[in-house]
Amino acid sequence: LSDQTAFQTLDRIDAQVKGIYSAIKSGQMLGGRYFLYHDARPENFLSDDGNRVTIRAPWEFSLGSSDDECRNLWAAAYTTINRANLFLDGMEAGGNTVAGAKANEFNGEAKFLRALSYFCLIQLYARPYWDGNGSKRGLPLRLKGINGPGFNELAPVNVGEVYKQILLDLDFAETNLATTVADITARTTRAHRNTAIALKTRVYLCMRDYPKVITEANKIVSATAPFKAPSGVAHALAANITSLFSGASTDLENIFSMPFTNNDAPGTQNQLGHYYRPASSGGNAIFSLNPAGVIGDATWTKTDDRRKLVDTAANSKSYLKKFNGGAPWLDWAPVIRYSEVLLNLAEASARGNAAVDPKAVELLNAVRNRSDKATTYTVASFASAADLISAILQERNIELLGEGSRGIDILRLGLDFPTKTSGGFTVSAVPSTSAAYIWPISSDETRLNPLISN
Amino acid sequence: QNRVITGKVTDEKGGPIPNASVMIKGSNTGATTNGEGAFSITVPASAKVLVISSIGLSAAEVTIGNKTTIDVSLKSLDKELQEVVVVGYGTQKKSSVTANIVTVKGSAIADKPAPSFDASLGGRAAGVQITIPNGVVNNPPVFRIRGTNSINLSTYPLIVVDGVPTFTGDVSGTLAASNALASINPADIESMDILKDAAATAIYGSRGANGVVLITTKKGKRGKAKVVYDGWAGWTKPTRLWDMMNADQYMEIKNEGLANLATPAAPRYLPTPGPDGQNINTNWYDYAYRTGFSHSHNVSISGGSDATTFYFSAGLTDQQGMILKNSFNRKNIRFNVDHRVNKVLSAGMNANYSNEYNKAAANSGSLPGAAFASAGLARLALTLPPNISPYKNDGSYNTNGNAIGPMNNKETIGFWNPVPIIDNNYSNAENDHIQGNVYVQLKPIPDVTLRTNYGIDYLNVDNRGFNTALIGDGFPTGSSFGNLQKNKRWVWTTTAQYDHTFFDKHTVSLLAGTEQQRTTNEGYGLSRTQLSDPFYNNIQGGWLTNNTSGLALGENYLWSGFSRLNYDYDRKYFLSGSFRRDGYSAFADGLEYGNFYSFSAGWDLAQEKFFANSPLSRIVNAFKLRGSYGTSGNISGIGNFASNSFYSAGYYNGAATLAFSQAGNPNLTWETSKKTDIGFSFGLFNDLITGEVAYYKNDVDGLLLNVPMAPSTGMPNNPLTNIGAMYNKGIEVTLNASPVSTKDFRWTTSFNYTYNENKVTTLAPGVPFITSVTGLETVNITMPNYPISYLYVIPTAGVNPATGQRIFVNAKGEKVQYNHAAAVGARYTYLDGTLAPAIDAGKDQVPMYNSIPRFYGGFDNNFNYKNFDLNVLVTYQGGFYVYNGTQASIRDQRFWNSETAVLRRWKKAGDVTDIPRVVYGDNVSNGSANPISENVQKGDFIKLRNVALGYSLPAKAAQKLGIANARFYVSGQNLGIITKYKGPDPEVSSNGNGNGNQGVDRNSVGNAITMTVGLTVGF
């Protein structure tokens, strides 16, 4: 199809929006590896196969600027961004007229995906927001579509400006995206208003702007339990967490997921299940669960449903069983779940209250109690606000294990990446001051764009 | 008034020549000599000159004057003068050729145990570099004529078979290599003419920049039909394999590495008793390599009458490679007939059908892109632990999920078990290749030849594969694929040729022609997973999931008009010019046409009186100067639609998507190579020694570069742009001699030497350099003022005797040592122990070594003693370095096995060695994580390429047996090598014909030794 005709019909415009989704769904990005990177870096998983191709360097913090992980994620994110930019330019140049009433909804989706891509990049390739309050070196901010040579040089803006653009796009998305979506598949695989809001709670959390987290979260979390989104798509916790990860789950808890089909699988050595599942389940047992990690937490009770997602049968090691579909690994990859939104709100509320915040306790309890019927938190369960916050953080660690959350939490909180040992090989702790705390900029970028360097 | 002239015609030794023709010049009147060489002819008063000629002798012209008796001694014809060279769209007498063309006779390569002729050309012609990249059967060789003349396009020469440009390269879509040229049975080749300079290649216009090879297949000759049988059988096996550690050594080193960790770990590598109770000690070479058996048979019948000649041949060849289950099988039939209807009209046709079966089971890891393949057999054979077996003690396959079981080792062995893969998988490419042409030729008047030739080249490649569910690519559900790739081409060429000699001395030859060529390709197929029952092992079986495989659709069209004018004066001064205009469909409107031209001149000094009269002529009997300049282009490798921008379809959750997929370049045009060639040829001591020397320079402009885009632009591709420039220049020397020539013993020898210098002069603005990858690793860089494909590594400076740590040299030139046992962030220190920044390949790699052979050639010797003949061919390449990436693999300190060199590792302060202290898990010190200069080695080599000893049956004995002739021979290929290179073979290319990533040996199999015995019988 020639480039002149891509905006001629509504169907083609719609197909282009899906084209942006398919870019962000790349196995190098949200199709698998982005989540894997944020679980490889912290303490919960051990890299057992020693193969450099399978995320060894990020795990052991030896990633160089010319390593594939570093180059490929960078390229995949910017491919998504350029697709979004080209789309937005083309819409402005005439597509809006063709799309008519649907135009801004499409533009909203493109901006949502652009924001999400920049958010993914800024987590790994720049210092966290708290370091200098967004004043550190950020990313080249590309907002115009590029379809020919000559645009290599662009200086990075600072971290704060990248976040500003992310929020600008998400605000636009919130205003213009569909409020409700009838199609249950589209509800989980394409962005609607509540998707943009949910992502904003994560973005503000990373900026440590807790009041904003509360403002945003309150748009989609009801004032009282049982918590659910009061308007738009009625997101709520599922009755049982174990139902959320197999196959094409469109449960209302899964706010946004990356879908896969036979013709459109995550790709070799990108699949979550391939990394997390032992050989007996068709996986490659690349990441086993670290006994010293979150699974060793005694407060995580044996009867907790989430323990059912930990497989201890094989070769005396434990493996994560969330993505258990087997080859060709078509289990959808969750990008954001409602339980995270509840925990985001809980944490922000707890941090905004010098005492133990009752709403925060209630939210935490909603998540814990769903899986662990034997445990019910009350305000009395916590000695202090700090105690509550660490309980919330640990809850995130349990709840979102293997979903790419732990690494982001460590970064935003400024914690050290803890030490870990696999097969006699020890990776020492990486403090927040270390150069290895974040990734270097891709060497392809620094070579061709002289305005950025490591 | 008529009168009678008598006389006698003799040869140089005075012997009478019967049946010689004696003609009055300018008339049809003539006579023939009798058995005593005597003639008698009646001549009119107007007759001035007699022309006396006989086959095989040079004609003489005698002025009649007042003579009544004329005795003539005819010299035997200078062979050189008779020799004809095949040139573009015709033939030319070698003596009048001003272009640089080398001819290799088909007989030189006919009985070599290689599937295709190109693999046997190494060392046989100056300016022709052939590198056999590995021991995978039927893998296309690296084929360069006068250097690497492109960065992004193909540098393979244009191959024209009987006038039809054919497909080249590896056409297989499977793990078995399939050189398209293997469809031509080497036994059917009459000659290979290699066109090197502009004077020779400009007539091929936009496709001539890499040189052109004209293949002429055998034709019938007038006379009684001849039947010839050729056959050979041979054995092939690997040579110079790495010396790997055995099980005990393996466990010693791995456990020592564990003990050397910051927190010393107890041994985790432990012996496992095998079924015989002895500890397992596996030689993994036994599960990768074999002695392959090959045999080949050809039968031909040829002959003809005055009007009709024919050649018919059939061939069967079955060649097993040294890699288990890798083989090549070809059945081919060739038929051609030429018929002269009358003086004006002649016609003919030529057809070849070939069926080739290229088979493999496991990935050799040696084809381009496969260097790091998980199943790469060469790599597995090296790195799998020797203390485990492919079989469990109960005889079943030793697997652990999709990996080999560790047995008593306490670490996961993250590699595949190759044995179930070799036993169960296949990945085969079957080619059906039809090449043929028909022609009609008219000679309305003697000097004019009109010819039209229509040729087809249809190549269907059927790719099939199956992967077992047990382990490997098919794990855990099994997979299979099947796809058909149809490549079709037709070429229609029409030429007019005019030859005339004016006023005795002015010879003119004029050619004009047009050519159209259309090439289409189409591919479709299935890829299926999730086997319903282990019974099935084919694409037709029961599978649950179906996907597409090998979809392809393309076409291109080339229109051309061309002409050539040759002129010579008195066979002393030669001038030639050619012109071609090409129009190609891949370029945007208005830019699709390009012009290519050449001029050349020659001067045969030996024909000059001053030269013939000088004392020098007693030594130098022939001396000819030659020079040419011109242009030719390159389009090979430009996408059919490269000038267009596209949006393409994809999937999102099963729904169709549309996304920007190609940024085109509407200004795209050909790469242009400006070629200069100056040379001379000579003969010494009455041609006892002959030779040729040439200087050449190819300036390539408008090099197409995929101008790299910063990844933050998010562009889907790096648009192809005509922006770079490079040159190749060099010297070629060829010497032929017959040092000994007696009745019983003859020695003829030929030596050639080529020196080539490649330099890239310009890349795109803002693009300081281009790097090229080998699988997962970047080892090559191309940058201005350096040769293409320079080796790009991190400099290292040995092992620190004090600490046993590898010393790296960073971008600032500082020495930094690496201790894998230290904490992350503290592993790199300066030699004084203070913390140093980590080595980062992106920053610290530097261009260090040239990877393109600076000089290469061959030394060919033929000895004949009575009925015995011996051929010895030595080839050599030099002036280059090879990145021995395999050495990095086999010094890696993860669970991988190592070469025995690792046993000399550093152990205590003061040890001086090249192997660092072993630390378990260390993949940095020895170059696995990033390429280091420690693993770069000089590649220069001299190879005993071919030795063949033959015995021909004496004529009398043959007669008794009722046959015309017979020859038996024994031959050996690749028998020996002199090199400092540590790997199996410096003549390797992990990246095949890649331009920017030469000189890399990463987990490749080396070349095999082959021995054959053969027989040729003629009836």
Side-chain angles (χ1 to χ4, degrees):
Chain A
L1 206 67
S2 100
D3 52 346
Q4 284 108 32
T5 57
F7 290 89
Q8 276 181 351
T9 68
L10 190 63
D11 283 347
R12 284 187 188 160
I13 290 171
D14 186 41
Q16 280 201 64
V17 175
K18 285 183 238 163
I20 311 170
Y21 283 103
S22 75
I24 207 166
K25 192 183 63 61
S26 156
Q28 295 295 340
M29 208 175 162
L30 300 186
R33 281 184 169 251
Y34 177 74
F35 307 117
L36 290 162
Y37 298 149
H38 281 304
D39 277 303
R41 306 181 88 224
E43 73 282 22
N44 291 329
F45 292 93
L46 300 178
S47 164
D48 288 341
D49 80 337
N51 184 352
R52 229 181 139 73
V53 177
T54 47
I55 317 189
R56 177 72 177 193
W59 180 79
E60 60 173 41
F61 292 90
S62 64
L63 191 79
S65 61
S66 60
D67 282 328
D68 280 348
E69 291 93 340
C70 179
R71 291 165 45 238
N72 293 348
L73 175 61
W74 180 270
Y78 273 109
T79 298
T80 313
I81 290 165
N82 194 44
R83 280 194 191 176
N85 288 340
L86 282 168
F87 178 79
L88 291 165
D89 294 351
M91 290 297 279
E92 205 174 314
N96 282 333
T97 320
V98 178
K102 294 274 281 177
N104 270 345
E105 201 179 313
F106 288 141
N107 289 334
E109 288 186 89
K111 289 193 176 182
F112 170 81
L113 293 168
R114 180 167 77 182
L116 181 53
S117 301
Y118 276 120
F119 179 77
C120 291
L121 284 170
I122 201 88
Q123 296 312 309
L124 280 169
Y125 294 98
R127 294 290 301 169
Y129 190 88
W130 55 260
D131 186 6
N133 209 24
S135 63
K136 298 287 170 155
R137 191 265 294 137
L139 304 166
L141 196 60
R142 305 263 186 191
L143 300 172
K144 277 276 160 205
I146 294 171
N147 59 9
F151 298 91
N152 281 358
E153 296 188 11
L154 183 68
V157 299
N158 70 29
V159 170
E161 284 175 72
V162 176
Y163 272 99
K164 198 172 135 198
Q165 181 63 43
I166 291 169
L167 290 167
L168 211 59
D169 280 348
L170 291 178
D171 286 342
F172 178 92
E174 181 188 347
T175 316
N176 292 288
L177 286 173
T179 317
T180 55
V181 183
D183 182 318
I184 60 160
T185 307
R187 183 176 80 191
T188 318
T189 59
R190 290 181 72 159
H192 48 81
R193 193 196 67 191
N194 287 356
T195 323
I197 296 168
L199 182 57
K200 276 205 275 180
T201 68
R202 187 191 285 177
V203 173
Y204 281 122
L205 199 66
C206 288
M207 297 170 77
R208 298 187 180 177
D209 188 343
Y210 305 116
K212 279 281 177 43
V213 176
I214 296 170
T215 313
E216 294 298 334
N218 280 338
K219 294 177 187 170
I220 55 171
V221 179
S222 54
T224 53
F227 299 107
K228 65 176 175 37
S231 67
V233 176
H235 294 301
L237 289 184
N240 191 331
I241 189 172
T242 56
S243 67
L244 296 175
F245 305 102
S246 13
S249 171
T250 54
D251 192 282
L252 279 167
E253 178 168 344
N254 288 330
I255 300 176
F256 187 48
S257 296
M258 292 288 117
F260 301 106
T261 58
N262 266 320
N263 281 316
D264 189 20
T268 310
Q269 291 177 331
N270 300 331
Q271 315 96 327
L272 297 170
H274 173 82
Y275 282 81
Y276 291 136
R277 298 305 298 137
S280 53
S281 301
N284 232 27
I286 294 162
F287 290 134
S288 65
L289 282 159
N290 185 358
V294 69
I295 57 164
D297 177 5
T299 69
W300 183 5
T301 62
K302 296 280 179 265
T303 52
D304 193 315
D305 280 345
R306 293 171 296 195
R307 287 275 181 196
K308 293 180 185 160
L309 296 168
V310 173
D311 179 353
T312 49
N315 64 1
S316 77
K317 290 181 177 175
S318 298
Y319 292 94
L320 182 70
K321 209 162 115 181
K322 280 183 176 170
F323 310 101
N324 201 28
W329 307 111
L330 303 181
D331 293 327
W332 289 10
V335 178
I336 189 159
R337 287 199 290 123
Y338 195 63
S339 61
E340 182 198 332
V341 177
L342 297 186
L343 292 171
N344 291 348
L345 178 56
E347 185 182 339
S349 306
R351 289 185 191 276
N353 192 338
V356 174
D357 186 78
K359 176 75 181 284
V361 173
E362 216 182 333
L363 289 159
L364 170 63
N365 195 50
V367 175
R368 166 66 61 135
N369 204 233
R370 180 247 308 248
S371 299
D372 179 6
K373 303 286 188 279
T375 306
T376 304
Y377 288 121
T378 62
V379 173
S381 310
F382 304 98
S384 65
D387 206 15
L388 170 60
I389 290 167
S390 57
I392 294 169
L393 291 175
Q394 187 64 355
E395 195 65 29
R396 292 177 71 88
N397 205 357
I398 295 168
E399 175 73 17
L400 302 171
L401 183 62
E403 296 177 57
S405 177
R406 180 65 182 158
I408 299 176
D409 285 347
I410 287 178
L411 288 163
R412 74 180 167 89
L413 297 168
L415 306 174
D416 293 0
F417 283 100
T419 182
K420 56 200 172 191
T421 301
S422 169
F425 178 80
T426 300
V427 178
S428 49
V430 176
S432 66
T433 48
S434 164
Y437 198 61
I438 58 165
W439 282 9
I441 302 284
S442 156
S443 63
D444 294 338
E445 186 70 26
T446 54
R447 174 164 61 89
L448 294 161
N449 178 4
L451 301 181
I452 192 167
S453 63
N454 276 309
Chain B
Q1 177 189 345
N2 292 352
R3 58 194 169 113
V4 174
I5 294 173
T6 56
K8 193 176 178 188
V9 182
T10 54
D11 62 20
E12 284 167 295
K13 289 169 189 158
I17 299 174
N19 294 323
S21 135
V22 180
M23 301 285 287
I24 297 163
K25 192 163 184 182
S27 80
N28 287 327
T29 315
T32 344
T33 56
N34 64 15
E36 278 75 51
F39 68 90
S40 165
I41 186 169
T42 307
V43 299
S46 61
K48 293 209 167 68
V49 175
L50 283 185
V51 180
I52 296 112
S53 62
S54 177
I55 291 168
L57 300 171
S58 79
E61 295 189 3
V62 184
T63 311
I64 298 169
N66 302 323
K67 292 170 199 159
T68 51
T69 314
I70 295 178
D71 290 341
V72 184
S73 166
L74 294 182
K75 285 184 185 164
S76 55
L77 200 55
D78 190 345
K79 247 193 184 168
E80 188 106 318
L81 284 179
Q82 253 189 322
E83 251 177 281
V84 164
V85 177
V86 181
V87 297
Y89 306 98
T91 57
Q92 204 177 335
K93 269 190 189 161
K94 191 171 182 189
S95 59
S96 73
V97 170
T98 50
N100 198 322
I101 298 172
V102 209
T103 305
V104 178
K105 289 266 180 289
S107 55
I109 55 115
D111 55 10
K112 298 296 172 284
S116 62
F117 68 88
D118 48 349
S120 304
L121 281 176
R124 296 191 185 275
V128 176
Q129 183 208 334
I130 300 286
T131 296
I132 310 294
N134 50 51
V136 177
V137 178
N138 201 21
N139 197 17
V142 179
F143 194 162
R144 304 262 199 266
I145 295 177
R146 294 187 162 179
T148 307
N149 284 294
S150 184
I151 293 178
N152 273 326
L153 298 189
S154 169
T155 52
Y156 214 82
L158 177 70
I159 310 285
V160 181
V161 182
D162 292 324
V164 181
T166 190
F167 297 103
T168 54
D170 184 357
V171 293
S172 162
T174 70
L175 300 174
S178 173
N179 183 353
L181 296 177
S183 302
I184 305 158
N185 186 344
D188 285 337
I189 294 177
E190 178 69 33
S191 71
M192 291 155 286
D193 292 85
I194 300 161
L195 280 46
K196 297 189 286 190
D197 68 342
T201 61
I203 195 84
Y204 284 98
S206 60
R207 295 166 298 165
N210 296 319
V212 182
V213 180
L214 304 177
I215 305 295
T216 307
T217 59
K218 285 179 180 166
K219 289 190 175 300
K221 293 190 178 74
R222 267 179 280 175
K224 182 171 164 280
K226 275 198 282 190
V227 177
V228 178
Y229 166 82
D230 278 310
W232 55 259
W235 295 265
T236 189
K237 60 173 192 181
T239 174
R240 281 171 54 96
L241 292 173
W242 289 96
D243 189 13
M244 301 301 291
M245 301 196 299
N246 64 24
D248 288 342
Q249 294 165 329
Y250 170 79
M251 291 183 281
E252 178 193 342
I253 290 291
K254 295 299 146 187
N255 291 330
E256 183 177 317
L258 285 162
N260 283 344
L261 288 168
T263 317
R268 300 177 68 83
Y269 288 88
L270 306 167
T272 304
D276 57 358
Q278 302 287 311
N279 286 342
I280 289 167
N281 184 15
T282 304
N283 180 355
W284 286 100
Y285 289 146
D286 295 342
Y287 300 97
Y289 301 113
R290 65 175 169 189
T291 296
F293 175 72
S294 301
H295 59 109
S296 182
H297 312 274
N298 297 295
V299 182
S300 70
I301 307 170
S302 66
S305 65
D306 277 351
T308 311
T309 57
F310 70 93
Y311 174 84
F312 180 86
S313 81
L316 166 69
T317 183
D318 197 3
Q319 304 186 19
Q320 287 187 337
M322 66 178 188
I323 300 169
L324 283 167
K325 290 223 176 156
N326 178 214
S327 65
F328 169 78
N329 177 292
R330 175 183 58 220
K331 300 182 186 87
N332 85 300
I333 289 179
R334 175 175 292 277
F335 182 66
N336 69 52
V337 60
D338 295 278
H339 179 65
R340 201 156 57 104
V341 179
N342 53 38
K343 273 189 176 171
V344 175
L345 176 66
S346 53
M349 58 174 291
N350 184 357
N352 183 53
Y353 168 74
S354 168
N355 172 276
E356 297 131 50
Y357 225 122
N358 303 280
K359 293 187 179 180
N363 195 329
S364 62
S366 306
L367 301 180
F372 290 87
S374 310
L377 208 49
R379 181 195 194 197
L380 287 182
L382 295 170
T383 54
L384 277 171
N387 72 342
I388 59 172
S389 161
Y391 301 103
K392 291 176 181 161
N393 284 354
D394 63 8
S396 63
Y397 293 128
N398 174 21
T399 64
N400 170 34
N402 197 13
I404 192 162
M407 298 193 139
N408 283 349
N409 295 322
K410 290 183 181 168
E411 291 283 315
T412 310
I413 306 297
F415 279 136
W416 290 342
N417 181 347
V419 175
I421 293 174
I422 289 171
D423 287 351
N424 296 293
N425 290 13
Y426 59 81
S427 186
N428 302 337
E430 182 183 8
N431 301 355
D432 284 302
H433 200 165
I434 297 172
Q435 293 159 295
N437 62 76
V438 289
Y439 72 86
V440 176
Q441 184 169 297
L442 288 172
K443 265 176 131 10
I445 51 172
D447 289 339
V448 172
T449 308
L450 304 172
R451 184 182 167 103
T452 189
N453 187 84
Y454 183 86
I456 58 162
D457 194 340
Y458 284 13
L459 171 59
N460 286 354
V461 184
D462 189 350
N463 298 302
R464 296 294 177 90
F466 170 78
N467 298 314
T468 174
L470 296 172
I471 198 166
D473 285 319
F475 182 83
T477 65
S479 68
S480 77
F481 66 91
N483 66 66
L484 182 67
Q485 302 296 322
K486 297 168 69 174
N487 303 286
K488 292 165 96 172
R489 172 177 291 167
W490 61 255
V491 182
W492 184 23
T493 314
T494 303
T495 56
Q497 169 91 37
Y498 172 72
D499 296 283
H500 194 77
T501 302
F502 297 94
F503 311 112
D504 294 346
K505 290 184 172 171
H506 304 271
T507 304
V508 170
S509 171
L510 177 67
L511 169 82
T514 68
E515 185 168 83
Q516 295 170 74
Q517 173 180 308
R518 186 186 177 86
T519 308
T520 57
N521 68 294
E522 193 179 352
Y524 48 85
L526 264 180
S527 160
R528 310 185 76 185
T529 56
Q530 295 184 284
L531 196 56
S532 67
D533 187 304
F535 168 78
Y536 300 114
N537 73 344
N538 48 38
I539 188 80
Q540 293 88 354
W543 301 87
L544 300 183
T545 306
N546 298 319
N547 279 325
T548 60
S549 162
L551 298 184
L553 184 64
E555 70 172 306
N556 62 60
Y557 180 73
L558 183 71
W559 175 93
S560 314
F562 54 88
S563 70
R564 176 174 54 215
L565 175 66
N566 293 333
Y567 166 78
D568 80 66
Y569 174 74
D570 203 17
R571 294 207 287 193
K572 268 191 262 183
Y573 310 103
F574 305 89
L575 284 174
S576 177
S578 72
F579 173 79
R580 180 165 179 134
R581 182 169 172 79
D582 273 350
Y584 189 54
S585 62
F587 301 129
D589 287 352
L591 288 168
E592 64 267 61
Y593 290 99
N595 299 327
F596 305 90
Y597 64 87
S598 75
F599 303 104
S600 61
W603 181 20
D604 194 343
L605 266 80
Q607 302 292 327
E608 297 285 1
K609 283 214 174 85
F610 71 80
F611 190 91
N613 294 338
S614 75
L616 193 63
S617 69
R618 261 173 267 155
I619 301 167
V620 183
N621 61 294
F623 192 84
K624 192 172 154 189
L625 280 173
R626 178 175 51 69
S628 73
Y629 178 79
T631 60
S632 52
N634 191 1
I635 51 175
S636 175
I638 297 179
N640 289 332
F641 310 104
S643 58
N644 304 96
S645 290
F646 286 118
Y647 274 67
S648 306
Y651 294 104
Y652 182 65
N653 194 29
T657 67
L658 196 57
F660 186 51
S661 60
Q662 175 175 302
N665 172 7
N667 299 317
L668 199 66
T669 185
W670 2 72
E671 291 186 350
T672 309
S673 174
K674 294 178 188 150
K675 297 178 189 289
T676 310
D677 182 281
I678 299 166
F680 60 89
S681 55
F682 59 88
L684 304 179
F685 311 112
N686 206 13
D687 280 352
L688 193 65
I689 299 171
T690 60
E692 197 163 341
V693 176
Y695 162 85
Y696 64 87
K697 185 162 189 229
N698 297 347
D699 275 306
V700 191
D701 282 346
L703 270 181
L704 280 167
L705 298 181
N706 289 108
V707 174
M709 298 290 294
S712 69
T713 61
M715 285 272 282
N717 64 319
N718 295 328
L720 211 53
T721 311
N722 295 83
I723 206 152
M726 72 192 302
Y727 68 75
N728 282 285
K729 64 180 181 184
I731 302 269
E732 296 169 355
V733 180
T734 307
L735 291 173
N736 306 304
S738 318
V740 184
S741 185
T742 66
K743 184 165 164 275
D744 285 339
F745 182 66
R746 216 167 63 241
W747 173 27
T748 58
T749 176
S750 174
F751 171 81
N752 68 71
Y753 170 90
T754 304
Y755 175 87
N756 185 72
E757 181 186 316
N758 174 289
K759 193 181 270 189
V760 174
T761 47
T762 322
L763 294 177
V767 180
F769 54 83
I770 298 170
T771 55
S772 305
V773 298
T774 301
L776 303 169
E777 190 170 67
T778 300
V779 199
N780 298 90
I781 188 166
T782 293
M783 57 195 290
N785 298 317
Y786 284 85
I788 188 172
S789 185
Y790 223 61
L791 293 179
Y792 180 55
V793 291
I794 299 169
T796 51
V799 171
N800 186 347
T803 60
Q805 295 170 22
R806 166 78 63 216
I807 299 170
F808 295 84
V809 181
N810 70 17
K812 290 180 191 159
E814 299 163 338
K815 284 188 175 175
V816 171
Q817 58 185 352
Y818 179 78
N819 178 12
H820 197 76
V824 170
R827 289 177 173 174
Y828 290 96
T829 52
Y830 294 109
L831 301 193
D832 62 6
T834 57
L835 208 60
I839 290 288
D840 181 341
K843 283 189 283 192
D844 297 316
Q845 261 177 299
V846 292
M848 283 187 86
Y849 299 99
N850 170 46
S851 71
I852 311 276
R854 281 258 159 75
F855 61 88
Y856 54 86
F859 184 37
D860 194 9
N861 291 282
N862 285 295
F863 304 91
N864 289 280
Y865 176 71
K866 293 190 171 166
N867 289 318
F868 289 93
D869 59 88
L870 173 68
N871 172 267
V872 179
L873 172 67
V874 172
T875 65
Y876 62 92
Q877 295 187 3
F880 71 108
Y881 290 81
V882 178
Y883 169 65
N884 190 346
T886 312
Q887 182 170 283
S889 292
I890 57 177
R891 292 183 174 182
D892 192 289
Q893 289 309 317
R894 287 173 278 182
F895 60 82
W896 309 9
N897 194 18
S898 298
E899 59 165 327
T900 51
V902 169
L903 295 171
R904 60 171 184 261
R905 77 279 186 197
W906 185 94
K907 281 190 195 156
K908 57 181 191 310
D911 282 356
V912 176
T913 173
D914 60 331
I915 305 288
R917 176 171 183 258
V918 294
V919 176
Y920 186 68
D922 184 358
N923 60 351
V924 174
S925 296
N926 291 307
S928 251
N930 293 303
I932 56 174
S933 67
E934 175 73 17
N935 292 330
V936 177
Q937 291 153 10
K938 219 166 176 16
D940 300 20
F941 69 86
I942 298 174
K943 258 190 190 184
L944 189 52
R945 176 78 51 186
N946 181 58
V947 178
L949 177 65
Y951 174 75
S952 301
L953 218 54
K956 277 183 187 165
Q959 231 164 16
K960 271 186 197 160
L961 291 171
I963 56 178
N965 53 61
R967 176 175 173 264
F968 307 89
Y969 62 89
V970 187
S971 83
Q973 267 72 38
N974 219 5
L975 294 179
I977 182 167
I978 302 172
T979 182
K980 286 185 175 161
Y981 187 68
K982 290 182 190 161
D985 196 341
E987 186 182 8
V988 283
S989 174
S990 284
N991 300 305
N993 265 286
N995 299 332
N997 47 12
Q998 290 296 291
V1000 178
D1001 178 6
R1002 188 52 143 150
N1003 304 326
S1004 286
V1005 300
N1007 277 307
I1009 280 191
T1010 306
M1011 297 293 301
T1012 57
V1013 293
L1015 166 69
T1016 304
V1017 192
F1019 299 93

